[in-house]
Amino acid sequence: MTAFDVEALERGVRGADRKAVARAITLVESSRPDHLGVATDLLERLAPAPGQALRIGLSGAPGVGKSTFIEALGTLLLARGYRLAVLAVDPSSAVSGGSILGDKTRMERLAADPRAYIRPTPAGASLGGVARRTRETIRIVEAAGFDLVIVETVGVGQSEAAVAAMTDLFVLLLAPGAGDELQGIKRGVAELAHLAFVNKADGELAATARRTAAEYRGAFRMLAGSGTGWKVEVHACSALTGAGIAEAWERIERYRDWCETTGARSRRRDAQAREWLWSEIAARVRATIESREALKRLVETAEEDVAAGRTSAAAAARRVVSATFASVGCTSTPGEDE
């Protein structure tokens, strides 16, 4: 199979060939201009069969045990006959640009099971700790027949909004001992989270974890206000011992069933598809600018003018957009007065 054999790649992905899946993901993650068209062609071929996998986003502060939790939950699900894909977005090395946490070494049992697929991906400069092409990667693993897709983000912050925009269910993993974390919980987190699991509920921390879960239940009751009708559930568990992991999955299933009954999943997917479209439009416009020297120089001049206060950002942006449309043969810019 050549590097650009799209038909063979499609067959391999649909046949759940792990090497083909890895090559396909590498292709869509590539920033090389000559790979862009090939990647687009592959994704278009995979598009007619939208995946029905449950997409789960998982976020939490560093050290809370996200990878251990995923391995514990994944091991349970594999035993129940599911196929699981884990897209673990790692912080990037400043030297090589590659992943530095090595999720395959942190999820040894899952990595060794042919029914699981783990893909650590460097976040690079992507906003919120989610790789730029995570959406496309989800499409690929769904086409390969995986039943569940877990997207693990670098940590909390802007990543919640990013991962929520591409998954069906957002899970917040918490540590025992509320303290400042409970005091600082943001309304936005409560609105994005569908479930919250307090990890490390074992040994000396077991009682603390249960108490923390109770405190978070109260916090979510006060802060949550999404208006969807779903109430955030909080559960204490231990990824280390496995205690409460089956119950955590039961809560995930309960949310999934609620989504199917109310139509929430379909509405969520529709909104995400539209957001994906606008994200791609913005990315392609930027790529056009960066690929043309005249436009790059125009942007550099605009940046200097805005920084120096010689013009407003709105006026500078209008000039750049007008020049960009003109460069691709458009005689007028949408939104401009005629």
Side-chain angles (χ1 to χ4, degrees):
M1 180 175 64
T2 68
F4 302 105
D5 192 342
V6 181
E7 291 185 4
L9 264 182
E10 181 191 3
R11 287 195 303 271
V13 169
R14 293 192 184 280
D17 181 276
R18 298 172 72 85
K19 290 184 179 180
V21 171
R23 286 171 62 85
I25 295 174
T26 298
L27 176 63
V28 301
E29 287 180 343
S30 174
S31 59
R32 286 177 48 173
D34 57 323
H35 287 174
L36 180 61
V38 185
T40 301
D41 187 10
L42 174 62
L43 291 168
E44 190 70 14
R45 288 169 177 269
L46 298 176
Q52 294 303 311
L54 178 64
R55 305 169 184 174
I56 302 173
L58 179 71
S59 192
V64 75
K66 294 189 293 293
S67 295
T68 307
F69 176 82
I70 291 173
E71 181 160 68
L73 179 63
T75 301
L76 171 74
L77 297 178
L78 294 181
R80 295 186 180 186
Y82 289 96
R83 296 182 65 219
L84 172 68
V86 180
L87 310 179
V89 186
D90 269 354
S92 301
S93 165
V95 178
S96 67
S99 300
I100 61 176
L101 295 184
D103 283 88
K104 286 190 175 182
T105 62
R106 291 186 289 143
M107 304 179 196
E108 293 181 354
R109 286 180 293 172
L110 288 185
D113 195 307
R115 296 166 298 173
Y117 182 79
I118 301 174
R119 177 77 180 199
T121 304
S126 298
L127 179 65
V130 177
R132 179 173 177 266
R133 291 302 180 186
T134 302
R135 287 186 180 92
E136 287 87 339
T137 303
I138 291 173
R139 174 62 58 82
I140 289 170
V141 295
E142 286 182 339
F146 288 95
D147 308 301
L148 296 162
V149 183
I150 297 179
V151 182
E152 176 198 355
T153 63
V154 174
V156 296
Q158 291 172 314
S159 59
E160 286 105 342
V163 73
M166 62 183 73
T167 56
D168 303 316
L169 164 68
F170 178 76
V171 175
L172 186 61
L173 201 62
L174 305 163
D180 294 337
E181 190 175 4
L182 179 59
Q183 297 292 331
I185 190 170
K186 300 293 191 295
R187 177 173 293 275
V189 177
E191 292 175 346
L192 290 172
H194 303 106
L195 295 170
F197 298 141
V198 180
N199 192 24
K200 303 183 180 180
D202 53 68
E204 296 180 354
L205 290 176
T208 303
R210 289 192 295 270
R211 184 171 60 253
T212 301
E215 292 171 348
Y216 272 109
R217 289 188 193 101
F220 277 111
R221 277 196 298 271
M222 289 187 294
L223 296 177
S226 65
T228 63
W230 173 262
K231 304 299 182 183
V232 179
E233 296 189 12
V234 184
H235 172 65
C237 61
S238 170
L240 182 63
T241 67
I245 296 298
E247 290 77 10
W249 173 243
E250 288 175 4
R251 284 164 170 76
I252 292 173
E253 287 186 305
R254 186 153 59 238
Y255 176 78
R256 180 191 61 190
D257 294 342
W258 176 84
C259 283
E260 294 296 338
T261 301
T262 62
R265 179 183 181 184
S266 177
R267 292 191 297 272
R268 188 178 179 87
R269 290 268 181 115
D270 288 347
Q272 289 173 353
R274 288 178 171 82
E275 184 174 336
W276 187 1
L277 169 63
W278 280 106
S279 175
E280 282 301 302
I281 291 172
R284 295 304 172 93
V285 170
R286 181 163 187 162
T288 298
I289 294 172
E290 293 177 344
S291 67
R292 305 184 183 218
E293 286 301 321
L295 292 177
K296 287 172 64 176
R297 289 194 297 271
L298 178 62
V299 170
E300 290 170 358
T301 300
E303 288 176 337
E304 294 173 359
D305 289 344
V306 171
R310 290 188 291 268
T311 187
S312 68
R318 189 184 306 119
R319 290 197 299 272
V320 172
V321 171
S322 295
T324 302
F325 273 83
S327 74
V328 294
C330 290
T331 57
S332 62
T333 302
E336 292 292 308
D337 293 331
E338 295 184 357

